[in-house]
Amino acid sequence: QVQLVESGGGLVQAGGSLTLSCAASGRTFSINTMGWFRQAPGKERESVARISWSTGNTYTTDSVKGRFTISRDNAKNTGYLQMHNVKPEDTAVYYCAARPTTYGNYPYWGQGTQVTVSF
């Protein structure tokens, strides 16, 4: 099992920056990919970014490309989502997730952290 705990959410003004952290514990050696997802009120959960735990290769969805950066610190077993030039439409609960495979579903999820962007 892998346990994930997000932190760093909060209230930020449009145009500002925020960094989310995802601390992993348990069988962290089994992590292949870590992803960040978000869910806004009344909307479906969407994938924001993902990173290969071993290679550091990343993917970022078009809506946040150039504004959000995913990274990880293997020594700390922690993933990060740096958010810059945030917009009100970025308001959502952000979740980190992990999977032991390159593709497929994520079996491990954090509890989520709220990000609210004000005008």
Side-chain angles (χ1 to χ4, degrees), residues 71-87:
S71 62
R72 91 284 190 236
D73 185 330
N74 295 88
K76 295 181 178 180
N77 290 319
T78 300
Y80 304 95
L81 185 69
Q82 295 177 283
M83 308 165 62
H84 299 291
N85 189 25
V86 295
K87 303 176 180 180

Side-chain angles (χ1 to χ4, degrees), residues 26-104:
R27 297 172 62 90
T28 57
F29 60 86
S30 68
I31 297 175
N32 177 284
T33 304
M34 177 176 281
W36 284 94
F37 295 77
R38 66 185 182 185
Q39 186 165 22
K43 294 188 177 181
E44 293 187 355
R45 186 174 62 197
E46 66 170 337
S47 173
V48 176
R50 62 180 179 268
I51 186 167
S52 168
W53 208 243
S54 59
T55 67
N57 290 339
T58 63
Y59 167 82
T60 308
T61 196
D62 287 346
S63 61
V64 304
K65 196 166 292 184
R67 300 189 297 119
F68 291 10
T69 301
I70 187 171
S71 62
R72 91 284 190 236
D73 185 330
N74 295 88
K76 295 181 178 180
N77 290 319
T78 300
Y80 304 95
L81 185 69
Q82 295 177 283
M83 308 165 62
H84 299 291
N85 189 25
V86 295
K87 303 176 180 180
E89 52 263 43
D90 294 323
T91 295
V93 178
Y94 284 72
Y95 300 90
C96 68
R99 64 188 182 198
T101 55
T102 304
Y103 302 101

